[in-house]
Amino acid sequence: MAKEPNTPLYKVLIADLKRQIDDGYYKKGDLLPSENELCKSYGTTRPTVRQALGELTQMGYIIRQHGKGSIVSEPKNGLGILSLKGSTAGVGKKNLRTEILVKTKRIGWPVDFPYELTDTQREAGCLYLARLRHVNGLPTLYEETYITDIDLPRFTMHNLAKHSLFETLKKNHHVEIKEGEQKIWAVAASKRIADLLSIRPGKPILHMKRSMQTNKANLLMYSFLYCNTEEYFIQDYF
């Protein structure tokens, strides 16, 4: 991995090793390169390597055994969906497939919409879409999204099964997320959500509500996400 400016080297090492474990280059039970080998490969010192290996241990990626080395464990895969970069960026390259359940369409705001809207927003209406994310073949994330329909010409034409919503907004409409608020609950899956995620009704799942402000006045995004965490934990870095 190329080192970004001002990125501590131990974080580069963490990201490299984590990616190789996630991608299956190192499998459960495999030994990682020794501390000396990592020092040579990254041109760094033993304390830096030990800091990186210590954090990978805390994440559950490796187990360190005295006299043997760093052994790959079998952690659940993490989904960084707490990031405001969007679900696609948060899920990463874990064989992600996006299924469009409701293609983007222009609608009026729901009467019982849980967020307060400005008069400008109400008058503009919104763009609505619903997507189901399959991670390694498992239906894992169901998300409904509402976007204020301001200065987004031909937005319904975008293929959001193959392209990131956030990247599409940025590249084609110069819209970027500036800040946001997210609320998270553990809830029992309704029959509708359970059917979508292929789980039993009543099973505990994660429910997230997001309100995101953009660089354009009154153009806000809202998402309502349901996540089955049986196979994946939720993570983020700061």
Side-chain angles (χ1 to χ4, degrees):
M1 174 183 289
K3 184 178 184 297
E4 295 293 332
N6 303 319
T7 301
L9 187 53
Y10 81 92
K11 289 191 175 182
V12 174
L13 183 53
I14 290 171
D16 278 3
L17 293 174
K18 177 180 173 297
R19 186 184 68 255
Q20 291 176 73
I21 294 171
D22 283 340
D23 291 346
Y25 182 82
Y26 294 115
K27 298 179 173 59
K28 180 184 178 182
D30 287 351
L31 274 173
L32 292 185
S34 69
E35 291 183 2
N36 284 337
E37 290 171 324
L38 290 171
C39 285
K40 291 178 182 178
S41 296
Y42 287 85
T44 189
T45 61
R46 192 178 290 266
T48 297
V49 168
R50 286 180 175 172
Q51 183 177 6
L53 294 176
E55 294 207 14
L56 285 170
T57 301
Q58 292 181 357
M59 293 178 190
Y61 275 85
I62 62 173
I63 298 171
R64 305 190 71 191
Q65 291 187 3
H66 182 69
K68 193 168 184 180
S70 300
I71 304 171
V72 176
S73 61
E74 191 174 28
K76 291 182 178 181
N77 290 312
L79 303 177
I81 60 173
L82 298 179
S83 169
L84 288 180
K85 295 179 180 179
S87 298
T88 300
V91 172
K93 298 180 180 179
K94 301 180 179 69
N95 295 320
L96 173 67
R97 179 173 69 86
T98 299
E99 179 183 359
I100 303 295
L101 300 184
V102 178
K103 192 175 184 298
T104 308
K105 61 181 180 179
R106 289 182 164 83
I107 63 171
W109 294 97
V111 176
D112 58 349
F113 198 70
Y115 287 96
E116 185 175 352
L117 302 169
T118 65
D119 291 340
T120 300
Q121 284 182 280
R122 289 196 178 279
E123 183 178 346
C126 65
L127 293 151
Y128 169 80
L129 66 150
R131 295 173 292 174
L132 180 63
R133 310 300 182 89
H134 300 259
V135 184
N136 292 327
L138 180 72
T140 302
L141 301 167
Y142 171 65
E143 185 174 16
E144 296 182 320
T145 303
Y146 297 82
I147 309 171
T148 311
D149 188 13
I150 293 177
D151 195 22
L152 294 173
R154 298 181 296 281
F155 190 81
T156 58
M157 304 298 292
H158 295 304
N159 184 349
L160 296 177
K162 294 184 177 181
H163 302 288
S164 160
L165 171 60
F166 283 38
E167 287 300 317
T168 297
L169 283 166
K170 181 178 179 180
K171 180 179 179 180
N172 296 282
H173 302 279
H174 309 293
V175 173
E176 297 184 58
I177 302 300
K178 306 306 292 184
E179 60 182 282
E181 173 191 68
Q182 49 194 4
K183 301 176 182 179
I184 304 171
W185 296 265
V187 299
S190 66
K191 185 179 185 309
R192 172 173 170 268
I193 298 299
D195 288 345
L196 289 169
L197 297 177
S198 298
I199 58 177
R200 59 175 175 77
K203 178 181 174 62
I205 57 172
L206 180 148
H207 176 41
M208 179 188 296
K209 292 182 180 180
R210 279 178 167 177
S211 169
M212 294 164 279
Q213 297 183 24
T214 73
N215 57 326
K216 296 191 177 183
N218 287 298
L219 201 169
L220 279 77
M221 293 179 55
Y222 307 91
S223 68
F224 304 88
L225 184 146
Y226 299 85
C227 180
N228 176 12
T229 58
E230 183 174 8
E231 295 293 332
Y232 300 93
F233 61 78
I234 304 304
Q235 69 180 26
D236 204 1
Y237 300 97
F238 56 88

